[in-house]
Amino acid sequence: MKVSLFLTCIGEVFYPNVGKDVVKVLERLGCEVDFPEGQTCCGQPAYNSGYRKDAIKGAKQMINAFAGAAYVVAPSGSCVAMVHEYPALLQDDAYWLDKARELSNKTYEFTQFLVDVLQVTDVGAVYPAKATYHSSCHMNRLLGVKEAPKQLLQHVEGLELEPLSNGYDCCGFGGTFAVKMSAISEQMVDEKVRHIEETNADTLIGADCSCLMNIKGRLERLDKPIEVKHIAEVLNHHK
Amino acid sequence: MSIKIDDKNFYDHVDQELKDTFMRNAISNAQDNLRGKKIAATTEDEPFGNWEEWRNAGEEIRRHTLENLDYYLQQLSENIAERGGHVFFAATAEEANQYIKEVVEQKNARNVVKTKSMVTEEISLNEMLEDMGCDILETDLGEYILQIDDDRPSHFVAPSLHKNKEQIRDTYREKIAYDGTEKPEELTVYTRKVLREKFLQADVGITGCNFAVADSGTVTLVTNEGNANMVTTLPDTQISVMGMERVVPSWEDLDVLVSLLCRSAVGQHLSTYVTAVSPDVESDTVDAPSDFHLVILDGGRSRALGTEFQEALHCIRCAACVNVCPVYRHIGGHAYGSIYQGPIGAVLSPILAGYEEYQELPFASSLCGACTEACPVKIPLHELLIRHRERIVAGEGKTKASEKLMMKGFGNMTSSASVFQTAVKAAPTLTRPFAKDGSISKGPGPLKAWTNKRDFPAPSKDNFRQWFADHKRGGDINE
Ligand code: SF4
């Protein structure tokens, strides 16, 4: 199966390792992965801040970049949710609307792709740790991917998964929100950190680099010795 | 007269509220409790059936009603007139108040009892009546506490949520010569005694309106204390005030919406009382008011009609969105500076009072979507917040020029693979002076607000595209 990786801007700039792990997991599962060079960013920062026109520019770039792809897979529920927003963003332009729909229909979040398309829940990973899972808002609510990451983690050998209380609450990232409303965002991430600590987990796993960046940043600042891992990093750990 | 609760700006409010540990504890406990009850009431009650189907039905009723608002408002007003009541359409708060003033003057009324009304808060009716020399009494316990303490509501369903029982006891002692303890039962019994006396003296009863049933000409009120029954039956003159969107076509529709309301608000299957009032001048019933007035307020609502904000008028004020909102959880209701709080407050306040007053509220959300998921009538709240942001950016509010420039740059970067790549490659070098051990703890410019409280990752020196090309050539085979 041919799969085009959309690494996302945050992935490219900060977490190239997550990209590598996604590629390797997909390849192990028999996919042929390519990386379309024209990809940039899904445009979400502009869209969510009210800069619709600037977001449209990015959307068109992305549509062209992935025009030849059969499946597009990204390790970020939030960016995939944004791609799914393209048809609404381009609804007034029949030409682009068609293309936006096409891209949206073939774009999947990484764990969603593994479970729903490849129909795999056990990727043969081994990861001895006591972990808890943070479910990202956009992935969970806007994209509706709730169970896939948990199903995958349940099959990881050696991984002990503790439930996270108030797991449905946002970690306070929200793109520019974390900067514009930093005092409120801080309280939100602090509450998240408290709940993570209560689990006594040594590792926090998530499926969206941006939320992890926020939580990790606060954990580091508070000197909390908790590892933060993207789910692709965990799933690529094997014998 | 407005929905504004004071003159403070949003950021000052936030600073102040974040320091109020009591309030924040009270709110997070209440949220955990209420959303737990709601989930139980909507998922574990077999006979009720599928919650999502109920939501779809609720959404459909609200959409249909708002799309045909003229028709249903006319039907409602004709039916009320036919039963001997008076209907007044008020375009503004001033018009509504003027009308109510005339009714009260005509009756020579001095004692007014009130219940269950956000919309009279919205038009500052109490102040107007006080200026006329009337004695006004809020008869819902929560509202009564706020009234004697000269405070404003912080939650739709539990307006005095931000106060604890000791604070309430102290207020009672200071303002109404109470000498009991802070026990809720004792406070309630005392309040009830005060209220009972006033009910008997009341000349006019004023109520809000949860829903008005168009095809029967009935105002309905959903309450748990039963005071609405007193307000609507004891005084001969009754004035109900409603936002123009609060109409429902029929009793069948009301059934759906009340079921959604009670479950979403407090996790109850039904509230203790659903009071229904129609003028009934002809048949001379004992409990119908002989003089009935319905004031239907626009108050800026029509600005949303026919726009992307129309769905905001679907709101049934259940506060489910407030109860799940992580921002409200930390800053409480007063920080919104509006009598409408939480996600729906952030959507509604700029519509009703403009961006000048409320331009920060649409940004006071991480767009986590918890509100949209909770809303029983499926209002896409977080999307409406983005629509507000778009309007503000497009010039209806003040946006910093630097931000516009930055976003423009961002747009250009995302629409060109080469510019994007240049930026990705330059990022580690540009940020090197600030980075230590892979983290930035004191960032420049826009990073400052972030790094005040959190570390920021240093951009990776590793280039993914390079790696991928090598990998494809088999270069990392042993990695
Ligand atoms: S917006 Fe929806 S959830 Fe919020 S108060 Fe209104 S009806 Fe309830």
Side-chain angles (χ1 to χ4, degrees):
Chain A
M1 189 177 287
K2 284 192 167 185
V3 179
S4 298
L5 171 66
F6 164 37
L7 181 50
T8 81
C9 61
I10 288 195
E12 251 195 274
V13 177
F14 301 104
Y15 305 105
N17 281 331
V18 169
K20 296 177 193 174
D21 288 320
V22 171
V23 171
K24 289 177 186 168
V25 171
L26 289 172
E27 285 177 348
R28 272 216 321 279
L29 295 171
C31 298
E32 189 188 320
V33 184
D34 73 346
F35 186 85
E37 287 288 325
Q39 64 180 282
T40 56
C41 157
C42 65
Q44 188 181 182
Y47 178 72
N48 281 355
S49 308
Y51 292 81
R52 194 183 181 91
K53 281 197 205 121
D54 298 302
I56 287 177
K57 285 190 202 166
K60 290 182 178 171
Q61 172 73 23
M62 289 287 291
I63 289 173
N64 283 336
F66 288 99
Y71 289 101
V72 179
V73 172
S76 159
S78 173
C79 307
V80 172
M82 181 65 215
V83 173
H84 284 207
E85 199 59 34
Y86 287 176
L89 198 61
L90 294 161
Q91 63 190 356
D92 299 329
D93 186 331
Y95 172 80
W96 285 102
L97 176 60
D98 264 0
K99 289 171 174 279
R101 283 206 185 112
E102 196 211 312
L103 177 59
S104 152
N105 289 339
K106 66 185 182 191
T107 303
Y108 294 84
E109 183 276 328
F110 173 59
T111 64
Q112 179 188 31
F113 182 76
L114 297 185
V115 174
D116 293 356
V117 181
L118 298 183
Q119 311 253 317
V120 179
T121 48
D122 187 347
V123 299
V126 182
Y127 198 94
K130 184 168 169 177
T132 190
Y133 174 75
H134 168 66
S135 80
S136 294
C137 303
H138 284 193
M139 175 153 153
N140 165 3
R141 298 200 184 94
L142 308 195
L143 206 58
V145 179
K146 295 178 199 272
E147 295 307 317
K150 290 186 189 155
Q151 286 172 329
L152 287 157
L153 290 176
Q154 270 155 14
H155 288 95
V156 174
E157 205 184 306
L159 190 75
E160 208 183 310
L161 209 57
E162 297 294 328
L164 182 63
S165 60
N166 289 48
Y168 37 72
D169 275 340
C170 173
C171 71
F173 175 59
T176 50
F177 172 78
V179 174
K180 265 198 174 166
M181 301 276 166
S182 61
I184 306 172
S185 167
E186 179 199 346
Q187 299 302 321
M188 288 160 69
V189 72
D190 267 357
E191 188 170 354
K192 186 60 70 188
V193 164
R194 280 201 297 280
H195 288 306
I196 293 168
E197 278 195 296
E198 278 163 22
T199 65
N200 284 321
D202 51 46
T203 306
L204 172 72
I205 303 171
D208 215 312
C209 292
S210 45
C211 317
L212 294 180
M213 178 167 108
N214 181 45
I215 303 173
K216 182 173 195 283
R218 188 64 182 159
L219 285 169
E220 266 182 28
R221 182 59 57 91
L222 297 171
D223 264 331
K224 308 278 184 201
I226 296 172
E227 291 270 354
V228 175
K229 293 286 172 200
H230 187 278
I231 191 165
E233 300 177 270
V234 174
L235 297 182
N236 189 36
H237 228 264
H238 56 104
K239 278 182 202 149
Chain B
M1 268 168 273
S2 82
I3 61 175
K4 246 184 120 181
I5 62 168
D6 60 29
D7 289 329
K8 259 202 233 128
N9 82 32
F10 179 70
Y11 293 103
D12 291 342
H13 267 301
V14 169
D15 279 351
Q16 183 188 333
E17 303 298 333
L18 286 181
K19 289 185 199 123
D20 188 342
T21 339
F22 165 75
M23 178 280 293
R24 295 180 53 192
N25 275 334
I27 287 186
S28 58
N29 289 338
Q31 274 196 336
D32 291 346
N33 177 16
L34 287 169
R35 68 182 163 188
K37 282 192 188 155
K38 181 203 160 183
I39 290 169
T42 56
T43 56
E44 287 158 20
D45 181 18
E46 287 294 330
F48 185 63
N50 187 311
W51 178 243
E52 287 308 312
E53 281 167 24
W54 279 87
R55 281 179 90 201
N56 288 338
E59 181 194 22
E60 187 43 43
I61 293 168
R62 293 307 283 150
R63 185 178 307 284
H64 170 81
T65 309
L66 267 295
E67 276 168 5
N68 300 282
L69 190 60
D70 289 358
Y71 173 82
Y72 288 114
L73 284 177
Q74 191 177 348
Q75 192 188 21
L76 172 69
S77 87
E78 279 167 7
N79 281 329
I80 292 205
E82 205 165 288
R83 302 176 78 156
H86 308 275
V87 178
F88 179 72
F89 283 90
T92 61
E94 289 76 13
E95 282 182 26
N97 276 338
Q98 186 56 34
Y99 179 84
I100 297 167
K101 185 175 181 181
E102 281 162 22
V103 173
V104 172
E105 269 170 357
Q106 248 175 29
K107 299 282 156 190
N108 272 325
R110 280 286 156 266
N111 293 304
V112 178
V113 284
K114 272 185 69 194
T115 187
K116 214 33 207 178
S117 177
M118 294 291 291
V119 71
T120 57
E121 278 283 323
E122 182 179 328
I123 63 177
S124 309
L125 179 66
N126 285 12
E127 288 165 32
M128 192 276 292
L129 292 171
E130 277 159 13
D131 289 346
M132 285 176 70
C134 290
D135 193 5
I136 303 110
L137 182 78
E138 292 291 346
T139 63
D140 276 334
L141 182 58
E143 308 271 356
Y144 176 70
I145 294 166
L146 296 180
Q147 185 187 28
I148 60 173
D149 202 22
D150 210 8
D151 197 355
R152 305 295 293 266
S154 68
H155 186 276
F156 292 128
V157 178
S160 54
L161 184 66
H162 55 287
K163 290 187 187 299
N164 67 13
K165 43 188 200 292
E166 287 77 21
Q167 287 168 330
I168 296 168
R169 174 203 60 207
D170 293 346
T171 306
Y172 270 42
R173 284 188 178 159
E174 194 185 317
K175 304 278 170 65
I176 51 169
Y178 173 72
D179 58 5
T181 73
E182 73 289 344
K183 284 200 189 117
E185 306 77 45
E186 228 175 283
L187 286 162
T188 313
V189 168
Y190 185 80
T191 317
R192 180 170 296 192
K193 248 191 13 229
V194 176
L195 297 183
R196 282 285 148 99
E197 281 163 26
K198 300 271 185 170
F199 274 128
L200 296 170
Q201 300 159 6
D203 309 308
V204 173
I206 297 183
T207 78
C209 163
N210 282 93
F211 301 105
V213 184
D215 73 0
S216 72
T218 310
V219 165
T220 65
L221 294 153
V222 181
T223 66
N224 267 332
E225 291 166 31
N227 293 335
N229 286 11
M230 310 280 246
V231 172
T232 57
T233 48
L234 289 171
D236 279 341
T237 300
Q238 191 199 324
I239 306 170
S240 288
V241 190
M242 66 183 261
M244 68 181 197
E245 79 285 10
R246 310 307 294 253
V247 62
V248 292
S250 67
W251 288 98
E252 284 75 35
D253 298 322
L254 180 88
D255 178 17
V256 174
L257 295 178
V258 169
S259 301
L260 288 168
L261 174 66
C262 297
R263 282 164 202 262
S264 301
V266 281
Q268 288 177 332
H269 295 181
L270 194 58
S271 66
T272 317
Y273 299 88
V274 178
T275 307
V277 197
S278 291
D280 211 348
V281 179
E282 296 292 294
S283 65
D284 198 26
T285 49
V286 278
D287 59 353
S290 58
D291 186 21
F292 179 90
H293 302 262
L294 177 63
V295 177
I296 302 178
L297 176 74
D298 179 327
R301 288 164 174 75
S302 56
R303 281 201 283 276
L305 288 176
T307 74
E308 67 264 52
F309 296 112
Q310 181 161 310
E311 283 165 288
L313 303 180
H314 293 182
C315 176
I316 59 172
R317 304 282 190 271
C318 67
C321 59
V322 179
N323 295 339
V324 297
C325 177
V327 170
Y328 176 90
R329 182 179 185 85
H330 293 290
I331 64 176
H334 285 162
Y336 291 78
S338 163
I339 60 160
Y340 298 114
Q341 320 84 24
I344 184 64
V347 170
L348 208 55
S349 306
I351 296 174
L352 299 182
Y355 292 115
E356 244 348 275
E357 293 289 357
Y358 290 111
Q359 98 150 321
E360 278 78 22
L361 296 191
F363 295 93
S365 163
S366 63
L367 305 178
C368 72
C371 48
T372 301
E373 185 183 60
C375 179
V377 291
K378 298 177 89 169
I379 302 172
L381 290 154
H382 73 282
E383 287 173 25
L384 296 183
L385 292 174
I386 299 177
R387 301 287 92 80
H388 272 313
R389 294 177 186 193
E390 286 169 357
R391 286 199 175 202
I392 292 167
V393 165
E396 291 186 39
K398 300 161 272 161
T399 312
K400 280 194 202 136
S402 59
E403 183 189 294
K404 283 198 175 164
L405 210 65
M406 202 170 86
M407 284 301 174
K408 204 163 177 245
F410 176 83
N412 291 338
M413 183 173 80
T414 57
S415 57
S416 157
S418 62
V419 179
F420 180 73
Q421 263 313 292
T422 311
V424 171
K425 285 194 186 128
T429 319
L430 289 175
T431 50
R432 190 179 304 140
F434 308 99
K436 210 183 139 225
D437 301 333
S439 289
I440 299 173
S441 51
K442 266 202 176 69
L447 275 187
K448 195 170 173 297
W450 176 286
T451 52
N452 273 342
K453 301 293 174 193
R454 286 157 291 212
D455 288 359
F456 192 75
S460 173
K461 284 178 220 115
D462 233 8
N463 185 282
F464 178 81
R465 296 187 191 217
Q466 191 58 52
W467 174 85
F468 191 76
D470 293 347
H471 172 75
K472 277 287 170 191
R473 271 188 254 111
D476 72 326
I477 215 86
N478 296 320
E479 242 186 76

